[in-house]
Amino acid sequence: MKTKDTDNELNEPSFNYQREFHVFDSFEEQAAFERRQMQELSPVERLRQLRQFINIAYGMHGYDPNNLPTIHTVRIIE
């Protein structure tokens, strides 16, 4: 049985691993940078980030923002 040379190639998914990081001289400079970053986001993007933080805080790992429930109910338990 003959094998091609391409059979021995490892095909990994291609990702862009470039991440920026910033070094700040003060906490005020960091806060100003974070405010500018938040201002560039749309309201929907901010809500998605908020939802991700809520999921992390409450351990909700199965949340799918593309498949939201259509009916929401609120129950008051006494």
Side-chain angles (χ1 to χ4, degrees), residues 51-65:
R51 186 67 226 193
Q52 289 174 347
F53 292 142
I54 291 170
N55 292 345
I56 291 168
Y58 289 101
M60 300 166 58
H61 300 291
Y63 171 74
D64 181 13

Side-chain angles (χ1 to χ4, degrees), residues 21-32:
F21 67 93
H22 300 273
V23 178
F24 302 102
D25 293 327
S26 66
F27 290 114
E28 291 82 14
E29 184 180 340
Q30 178 184 358

Side-chain angles (χ1 to χ4, degrees), residues 2-17:
K2 288 187 175 182
T3 61
K4 298 180 189 176
D5 289 337
T6 57
D7 290 342
N8 295 329
E9 290 180 13
L10 178 61
N11 295 320
E12 295 183 12
S14 61
F15 291 105
N16 186 3
Y17 291 108

Side-chain angles (χ1 to χ4, degrees), residues 22-76:
H22 300 273
V23 178
F24 302 102
D25 293 327
S26 66
F27 290 114
E28 291 82 14
E29 184 180 340
Q30 178 184 358
F33 175 80
E34 290 173 354
R35 280 194 300 273
R36 284 193 307 273
Q37 292 291 322
M38 289 300 290
Q39 288 173 349
E40 293 175 2
L41 296 176
S42 71
V44 172
E45 290 171 325
R46 282 186 247 155
L47 287 173
R48 283 183 196 244
Q49 281 186 353
L50 175 63
R51 186 67 226 193
Q52 289 174 347
F53 292 142
I54 291 170
N55 292 345
I56 291 168
Y58 289 101
M60 300 166 58
H61 300 291
Y63 171 74
D64 181 13
N66 297 321
N67 188 16
L68 295 174
T70 56
I71 299 174
H72 300 279
T73 59
V74 176
R75 288 185 2 189
I76 300 173

